[in-house]
Amino acid sequence: MEAAELERVQNQILERISKLELTYLPQNDVSAAVSVTSSLQSTGDTEARLSNILRSNSVIHFLFAKVPADYYDWSLESRRDILAAASIEHLCKSIVLVNTQALANVTDCSDRNNSKYYVVVVQYTARFNTETVKNFLYSLNNGKIPKKKFNLRLAPEETSVNLTGYEHNAVTCIGMKTDIPVILDEAIVKLNPDFFWLGGGEVDLKLGIKTPEFIKFVKPFIVSCS
């Protein structure tokens, strides 16, 4: 990076660290943390909407971070630094999967145990294993559905946008247009500290959230799938 760019990134890192410290204030100081965090950055419509959803569901340890337009051209180490993430393993993504071999009567997400679509949250450093998810869903349905009827593939981008309301590189599990069941990779649950980053609803907006609160709110299936 050029010197000016490096200085800008370092300043953003210091600001992110300050915000992270605020999120770990004791319970009785949460309101103060929220007000100070809000004063540090302007709040866009997406951020405001998702923040309201999170707070109304008792999620208090979270923060949003704006990133540069070329964020996805950066190395994972640079992304970690600008977010002040604990490690590159704490950088995660949400991907929409479609069961291409689902039974003919499975066309939506009304049955979370046997859904046409799933959102999987995995680390950027991990290699997603569709076979483990296939086996999990087969077991979840007590073997009553043939295993060949589970074939999870990346959903077309247009389908992903229609289901979630979020474009590529902006997908998050929070505030989706459709209530798609979520699968969280077990590796994320084991991260220390238990605060990870994922998409925030806009390409240049990222969401950091405390893992136990994410699990309590989203109620994902926790599966070792990487």
Side-chain angles (χ1 to χ4, degrees), residues 48-62:
R49 181 177 70 86
L50 298 187
S51 294
N52 287 335
I53 292 173
L54 290 167
R55 292 188 188 114
S56 65
N57 286 277
S58 301
V59 178
I60 57 176
H61 295 110
F62 70 91

Side-chain angles (χ1 to χ4, degrees), residues 93 95 97 118-123 125-137 152 182-190 221-226:
K93 58 184 175 181
I95 54 178
L97 301 179
Y118 286 92
V119 171
V120 177
V121 183
V122 295
Q123 298 158 297
T125 56
R127 175 174 292 183
F128 175 60
N129 187 335
T130 58
E131 194 65 24
T132 58
V133 175
K134 174 181 178 178
N135 293 334
F136 169 76
L137 294 174
L152 282 299
V182 176
I183 296 173
L184 179 67
D185 188 6
E186 187 178 43
I188 298 172
V189 180
K190 296 178 179 179
F221 294 113
I222 299 174
V223 182
S224 178
C225 55
S226 64

Side-chain angles (χ1 to χ4, degrees), residues 170-202:
V171 178
T172 187
C173 309
I174 312 301
M176 295 185 292
K177 288 173 60 178
T178 308
D179 187 15
I180 311 173
V182 176
I183 296 173
L184 179 67
D185 188 6
E186 187 178 43
I188 298 172
V189 180
K190 296 178 179 179
L191 288 172
N192 183 27
D194 57 352
F195 188 97
F196 70 98
W197 289 86
L198 68 164
E202 296 179 4

Side-chain angles (χ1 to χ4, degrees), residues 18-90:
S18 297
K19 292 179 184 179
L20 281 168
E21 289 173 344
L22 287 170
T23 65
Y24 285 95
L25 286 174
Q27 178 76 22
N28 60 354
D29 289 333
V30 167
S31 59
V34 169
S35 62
V36 174
T37 300
S38 297
S39 69
L40 287 173
Q41 61 183 44
S42 59
T43 303
D45 291 343
T46 299
E47 181 180 341
R49 181 177 70 86
L50 298 187
S51 294
N52 287 335
I53 292 173
L54 290 167
R55 292 188 188 114
S56 65
N57 286 277
S58 301
V59 178
I60 57 176
H61 295 110
F62 70 91
L63 65 89
F64 286 91
K66 281 282 188 180
V67 297
D70 61 348
Y71 173 83
Y72 284 102
D73 295 329
W74 294 11
S75 67
L76 290 178
E77 288 76 14
S78 294
R79 298 184 205 177
R80 172 202 61 200
D81 292 346
I82 199 169
L83 293 172
S87 72
I88 59 174
E89 283 74 27
H90 285 74

Side-chain angles (χ1 to χ4, degrees), residues 87-132:
S87 72
I88 59 174
E89 283 74 27
H90 285 74
L91 305 178
C92 304
K93 58 184 175 181
S94 304
I95 54 178
V96 179
L97 301 179
V98 56
N99 183 1
T100 62
Q101 298 298 320
L103 295 169
N105 63 334
V106 178
T107 60
D108 56 24
C109 304
S110 56
D111 181 358
R112 74 191 306 261
N113 289 356
N114 185 25
S115 177
K116 178 71 173 179
Y117 304 96
Y118 286 92
V119 171
V120 177
V121 183
V122 295
Q123 298 158 297
Y124 272 98
T125 56
R127 175 174 292 183
F128 175 60
N129 187 335
T130 58
E131 194 65 24
T132 58

